[in-house]
Amino acid sequence: MFDRLEVRVLPPGRRFAAQMRFLVNGEDVVESAVGEGGRGPYAADVLPADGPSSLRATGEPRRVELGEPECTGGCCGFLSVVVQRFGGIVQWSDWEVPYMEMRPLELHFDADQYDAELARAEADRSWQVHT
């Protein structure tokens, strides 16, 4: 059985630009790992207007930053994961977690569902503030 990814963009607030949240099987990965006051990466960094998401999975493993605690990643470390594609499976593994907390389990996504969710998130630019 595969895990299921849902990508959300939180609208910009007073303190931060629009940021990302990653729900896996309905659970917010960022909040679970860095706490309620933490934040995900900025949407503009993960979903650039001129290219694909940094979460796109290829056969080459790549470390991707998913969040940081309220005190900032420079203080306590970042939440990051290695993303890699193995045929029809996208794997998230080798977690780095702030505070040396327990690492999330390795996750395995159906590559078609994963790609479709990233394509949906890349196409939805409603979070961008127009001036």
Side-chain angles (χ1 to χ4, degrees), residues 12 125-131:
R125 308 312 281 182
S126 62
W127 52 269
Q128 289 180 310
V129 178
H130 299 284
T131 56

Side-chain angles (χ1 to χ4, degrees), residues 95-116:
W95 291 87
E96 289 185 1
V97 182
Y99 315 121
M100 300 301 290
E101 294 288 331
M102 191 170 93
R103 293 178 183 189
L105 298 174
E106 193 170 275
L107 301 170
H108 299 94
F109 304 98
D110 173 80
D112 291 337
Q113 185 273 323
Y114 186 92
D115 291 344

Side-chain angles (χ1 to χ4, degrees), residues 7-9 20 47 116-125 127:
V7 177
R8 290 192 183 164
V9 178
M20 306 293 299
L47 303 170
E117 179 60 8
L118 286 184
R120 183 204 59 76
E122 290 167 348
D124 180 3
R125 308 312 281 182
W127 52 269

Side-chain angles (χ1 to χ4, degrees), residues 2 39 92:
F2 289 111
R39 70 166 185 86
W92 283 11

